Amino acid sequence: GAHSVPGVPQALVDDTEDVSLDFGNEEELAFRKAKIRHPLATFFHLFFRVSAIVTYVCCDWFSRSFVGCFVTVLLLLAFDFWSVKNVTGRLMVGLRWWNQIDEDGKSHWIFEARKVSPSHMAATEAEARIFWLGLIICPVIWIVFFFSTLFSLKLKWLALVIAGISLQAANLYGYILCKMGGEGDIGTVAASFLSQTVFQMASPSDVQKPRIEGLDIHQH
């Protein structure tokens, strides 16, 4: 035939093509079965935020020093904020967000989403579930701590609990906007404004005060 290879029987050529196709399918199947492709990122996605909660709950057992516990939990929260915002979101779900201020002092929210193939999406399904559960459940726990702190009148812990809510809610809002694709409807703009407010609370040292200026979307 027109596609036959000289000196090689056509049946053998067909067999070779079938074998290579089967090999591709096996490779894809193995790829999809790889539940956790970034075990280190998955570990640190949960490690800092869970450690902060455990340390907060058990600090009276570990240490009598209020300042020591306060600083330890705050550092764990800060490490968690940085790692989730800059590392684990990009690796586990292919999303990234940040806020930048241009030369005019205007604030821009930038969202990036990595284009994924169906096989890639299937491979990271377990990671995505862990990512979103950790992202949503931990701020809820800190909100429970907020009310328990108020009702038990342990007001010295209030600033720490508010810091926990602020830092973790900022990441949650940012990634929800990423997931929505930064669509410029009223709900998204409202959420963007809230996340910007939380971000300002989380980093009060910013010299320039950002102003909401719509949504900038960078997708690749």
Side-chain angles (χ1 to χ4, degrees):
H3 298 287
S4 62
V5 180
V8 179
Q10 183 63 35
L12 184 58
V13 175
D14 291 341
D15 287 345
T16 307
E17 287 174 354
D18 288 342
V19 168
S20 65
L21 184 63
D22 289 342
F23 177 76
N25 286 340
E26 286 174 9
E27 192 177 26
E28 187 178 350
L29 192 63
F31 186 69
R32 290 182 177 183
K33 284 182 178 177
K35 297 288 186 185
I36 305 293
R37 294 182 56 244
H38 304 97
L40 201 61
T42 305
F43 171 76
F44 280 109
H45 177 67
L46 297 175
F47 174 74
F48 288 126
R49 50 185 50 215
V50 171
S51 297
I53 290 170
V54 171
T55 305
Y56 174 79
V57 171
C58 304
C59 61
D60 287 338
W61 301 343
F62 295 151
S63 171
R64 294 290 177 189
S65 169
F66 167 73
V67 174
C69 291
F70 192 98
V71 170
T72 302
V73 174
L74 200 60
L75 283 174
L76 287 168
L77 287 169
F79 289 148
D80 170 73
F81 179 80
W82 184 89
S83 63
V84 171
K85 180 175 177 294
N86 296 309
V87 181
T88 65
R90 179 171 53 85
L91 291 176
M92 294 172 71
V93 290
L95 298 174
R96 188 167 59 157
W97 68 274
W98 71 94
N99 178 274
Q100 72 177 26
I101 300 172
D102 61 19
E103 295 176 354
D104 299 328
K106 293 178 181 177
S107 174
H108 297 272
W109 288 88
I110 299 175
F111 308 100
E112 287 188 344
R114 182 179 61 213
K115 288 184 179 178
V116 290
S117 64
S119 61
H120 192 99
M121 198 173 294
T124 57
E125 188 177 335
E127 288 182 346
R129 193 175 293 117
I130 292 169
F131 178 84
W132 289 107
L133 282 175
L135 204 65
I136 293 166
I137 291 172
C138 290
V140 171
I141 294 173
W142 281 105
I143 290 170
V144 171
F145 288 162
F146 175 79
F147 288 110
S148 68
T149 303
L150 279 182
F151 292 140
S152 62
L153 297 178
K154 294 181 179 178
L155 300 182
K156 64 180 182 179
W157 293 105
L158 202 57
L160 184 62
V161 173
I162 290 172
I165 295 171
S166 302
L167 288 169
Q168 299 204 347
N171 262 329
L172 180 59
Y173 274 122
Y175 280 114
I176 286 174
L177 291 179
C178 267
K179 187 73 175 171
M180 292 168 63
E183 294 169 3
D185 58 23
I186 297 298
T188 307
V189 173
S192 176
F193 179 75
L194 284 171
S195 60
Q196 187 168 336
T197 305
V198 171
F199 191 81
Q200 287 173 9
M201 288 170 63
S203 53
S205 58
D206 289 345
V207 178
Q208 292 174 307
K209 185 178 180 183
R211 297 192 302 275
I212 193 158
E213 184 66 21
L215 302 170
D216 289 355
I217 307 153
H218 291 179
Q219 292 183 322
H220 50 214

